[in-house]
Amino acid sequence: MATIEILSPIVPAVAVRFLGKEDAYWRLRIKGAALVVVTLGIYRFWLATDVRRFLWSNTEISGDTLEYNGLATELLVGFLFAVAILVPLYMVFALVMLELGMVAIKPALIGFALLALLGEYALYRARRYRLTRTVFRGLRFDQHGSPWRYACYALVCWGIVIVTLGLAYPWTQAFLERFKMRNTSYGDLQGRFEGSGLSLFLRGLPMWLLIVGPIVVALGVLSAQIDWDALSRLMEKGDDDAAKMIGNMLAPGIGIAIAAASISLIALPLLYPVFQAVKLRWWISGLRFGEVAVTSRLRIRQVYRVYLRLMLYLFLLGLLASIMGGMTVFAVVGIVRLIHNATLTQVVVGAISLLLYVVVMIGSSTIYQVIVAAGLWRLGVDTAALTGGQALDGVRATGSASSALGEGLADALGVGSI
C-alpha cells in the first residue's frame, strides 16, 4: 500500500522595509544642526529624539512600524545627572594626578580603565533605555541583566583583542552579543544571538592578513635583525653606543617596515566598508526572538556605494567651503585694510576661519549621519527578512521603562549613538 508523505508548508519570510525618504531626513538633520548651534548644544536632545522617531516610525515589519516613545526631556535630565556624577570623578582624577605628579603612569592607566569601564556600563544602560522606549504592535522591548557585569566582560574582551592583535575580535563580539541578546526580550518573547565567532573570523581573516599582517611581518623581521645578547651586554655596561647599534641593526629592515606600513595604510580605508558589510550582515543574521529568526541579504557593494557617496559629499563640502571662505576673506580683508588697522584685520580673519571650521565640522557630521548612519540603517532593514513571524502574534506584555541615566552617561563620555 502506497504511503502518502505529508509535507509541512513552507512559511514565507516576513517582509521588512524602510519607508523614509532621504530628502525628509536631510531637512530634519540640517534644521537640527542649525538649532544645535544656535542653542549652544542644548537642542541635541530634541534632535536625537526626532531622529529616532523618524528611523523607528519608518521601519516596517509585516505591515506594522516601530514606535519610539522616548522624550527629549528624559535625555536632558539623564545628561544632567551624568554630569553631576562625572564632574566630581574628574576632579578626583585631577587631584590624584597633581598629588602624584604629571608623570604618574599607573594612576593615569587606572583612571583610563575606570572611564572605559564606565563607558561600557553607559552603553549597556543606554541600550536598555532605547529598547524600553521601542514599541511594536503596542508592546515594548525590554532588557535586563547587570550592566556592571557586561562592562567587566567588555573590558576583558577588549583586553584580549588588543593582546591578540585583533584575532580574537570575532569571538569576543559573539560573546558580548550573546550576553546582550539573552537579556533582551520583546514582551515575553525571549531573545538570543546565534552568530558564530568562527564564521566571522573566517570572513575577516583575509582583511586581517592585509591590514595587520604586514605590520606583524615587519616587526618580526626587525626583531630578527637585532642581536639581543650583544645589545643586553651594552646596556648593562651603560654604553652610549647602544642606540647607534640598534640603528645599524635596523637599517636593512627599514625599507620592509615602510613597505608594510604603506600596504596597511592603503588596505585599511579600502577594506573598511567590507568589514562593515560583513559584520552588519553577521549581526543581523544572528538575531533571534523565540521562533522568530532574522536573515540578511546585505551585499558588500551596497555598503561601498554608501562610503563612496560619503567621500563625494565631503569633497564637495570641502570645495564649497574653500571657495566661499576664500572669497569672504578676500572681500572682508580688502574692506578692513581701507581703515589701515592690522589688528582688526587679524581678528576678522580669525573669526571667519573659526566660522568656516564650525560649518565644515557640523556639515561633515550631518553628511555622515545622513549618508552613512542612516544609509546603513536603511540597508540593514531593506535587506533583512523574518521567518517564524507568526510567533509575534501571541506575545504578551512584560517589562517596564528604564531611566535615561545610561543615555546621559554615554552622551557625556562621547560614546553615544542612535
Side-chain angles (χ1 to χ4, degrees), residues 264-314:
S264 297
L265 289 175
I266 294 173
L268 181 59
L270 290 178
L271 294 178
Y272 183 73
V274 180
F275 170 75
Q276 287 287 79
V278 168
K279 183 183 175 183
L280 184 58
R281 179 171 179 172
W282 170 80
W283 176 75
I284 293 174
S285 298
L287 298 178
R288 302 289 186 272
F289 283 94
E291 298 301 320
V292 180
V294 188
T295 57
S296 175
R297 308 178 307 277
L298 183 65
R299 296 289 181 263
I300 291 175
R301 63 177 180 271
Q302 295 173 305
V303 179
Y304 260 114
R305 291 193 194 104
V306 169
Y307 281 94
L308 288 175
R309 284 191 67 201
L310 174 67
M311 294 175 60
L312 175 62
Y313 276 64
L314 290 179

Side-chain angles (χ1 to χ4, degrees), residues 329 344-358:
V329 169
L344 182 59
T345 301
Q346 293 177 355
V347 170
V348 171
V349 172
I352 293 175
S353 300
L354 179 61
L355 179 62
L356 283 175
Y357 173 79
V358 171

Side-chain angles (χ1 to χ4, degrees), residues 135-212:
V135 177
F136 179 66
R137 293 181 177 176
L139 302 176
R140 72 171 73 247
F141 286 79
D142 188 29
Q143 176 179 290
H144 36 280
S146 170
W148 287 116
R149 179 179 296 179
Y150 172 81
C152 292
Y153 285 158
L155 216 58
V156 172
C157 285
W158 282 115
I160 295 173
V161 170
I162 293 172
V163 170
T164 60
L165 300 179
L167 283 174
Y169 177 82
W171 287 278
T172 59
Q173 287 300 298
F175 173 79
L176 293 176
E177 290 299 331
R178 282 195 292 269
F179 181 90
K180 288 187 286 188
M181 286 303 298
R182 71 169 173 260
N183 288 295
T184 301
S185 62
Y186 167 60
D188 62 352
L189 205 60
Q190 181 62 45
R192 66 185 188 278
F193 185 77
E194 294 187 354
S196 166
L198 179 60
S199 65
L200 182 60
F201 173 79
L202 294 177
R203 293 187 181 98
L205 183 59
M207 290 180 277
W208 186 91
L209 291 174
L210 287 172
I211 297 174
V212 184

Side-chain angles (χ1 to χ4, degrees), residues 23-337:
D23 55 350
Y25 193 61
W26 272 112
R27 290 193 296 270
L28 188 154
R29 275 289 181 178
I30 293 173
K31 173 188 173 183
L35 290 174
V36 167
V37 173
V38 171
T39 60
L40 301 179
I42 299 297
Y43 187 76
R44 72 177 185 272
F45 306 107
W46 280 262
L47 175 59
T49 302
D50 291 340
V51 165
R52 291 173 184 175
R53 286 175 179 167
F54 179 88
L55 296 176
W56 268 243
S57 64
N58 284 292
T59 300
E60 184 185 81
I61 303 173
S62 188
D64 296 299
T65 59
L66 298 175
E67 177 187 350
Y68 177 77
N69 59 14
L71 301 176
T73 51
E74 293 176 336
L75 299 181
L76 175 59
V77 172
F79 176 77
L80 294 177
F81 272 110
V83 170
I85 295 172
L86 291 177
V87 168
L89 188 61
Y90 285 141
M91 291 179 64
V92 170
F93 287 160
L95 291 174
V96 170
M97 293 297 292
L98 289 174
E99 184 70 22
L100 299 178
M102 295 301 294
V103 294
I105 303 299
K106 188 178 293 184
L109 292 177
I110 293 174
F112 176 79
L114 288 175
L115 288 177
L117 183 69
L118 191 59
E120 295 294 344
Y121 169 88
L123 286 173
Y124 195 81
R125 286 289 302 269
R127 184 176 183 270
R128 173 181 293 178
Y129 172 82
R130 289 193 295 271
L131 282 172
T132 59
R133 297 304 189 281
T134 301
V135 177
F136 179 66
R137 293 181 177 176
L139 302 176
R140 72 171 73 247
F141 286 79
D142 188 29
Q143 176 179 290
H144 36 280
S146 170
W148 287 116
R149 179 179 296 179
Y150 172 81
C152 292
Y153 285 158
L155 216 58
V156 172
C157 285
W158 282 115
I160 295 173
V161 170
I162 293 172
V163 170
T164 60
L165 300 179
L167 283 174
Y169 177 82
W171 287 278
T172 59
Q173 287 300 298
F175 173 79
L176 293 176
E177 290 299 331
R178 282 195 292 269
F179 181 90
K180 288 187 286 188
M181 286 303 298
R182 71 169 173 260
N183 288 295
T184 301
S185 62
Y186 167 60
D188 62 352
L189 205 60
Q190 181 62 45
R192 66 185 188 278
F193 185 77
E194 294 187 354
S196 166
L198 179 60
S199 65
L200 182 60
F201 173 79
L202 294 177
R203 293 187 181 98
L205 183 59
M207 290 180 277
W208 186 91
L209 291 174
L210 287 172
I211 297 174
V212 184
I215 297 177
V216 174
V217 171
L219 291 176
V221 171
L222 293 176
S223 178
Q225 291 178 343
I226 297 178
D227 188 344
W228 295 102
D229 293 332
L231 182 61
S232 178
R233 289 193 295 270
L234 287 177
M235 296 291 288
E236 291 175 357
K237 295 178 181 179
D239 198 325
D240 295 334
D241 292 334
K244 183 177 180 180
M245 178 182 176
I246 295 176
N248 292 333
M249 291 179 178
L250 295 180
I254 295 298
I256 297 176
I258 294 175
S262 301
I263 293 173
S264 297
L265 289 175
I266 294 173
L268 181 59
L270 290 178
L271 294 178
Y272 183 73
V274 180
F275 170 75
Q276 287 287 79
V278 168
K279 183 183 175 183
L280 184 58
R281 179 171 179 172
W282 170 80
W283 176 75
I284 293 174
S285 298
L287 298 178
R288 302 289 186 272
F289 283 94
E291 298 301 320
V292 180
V294 188
T295 57
S296 175
R297 308 178 307 277
L298 183 65
R299 296 289 181 263
I300 291 175
R301 63 177 180 271
Q302 295 173 305
V303 179
Y304 260 114
R305 291 193 194 104
V306 169
Y307 281 94
L308 288 175
R309 284 191 67 201
L310 174 67
M311 294 175 60
L312 175 62
Y313 276 64
L314 290 179
F315 171 76
L316 293 176
L317 175 65
L319 182 63
L320 180 62
S322 300
I323 295 173
M324 297 300 296
M327 294 174 59
T328 304
V329 169
F330 180 78
V332 172
V333 170
I335 295 173
V336 173
R337 280 180 176 174

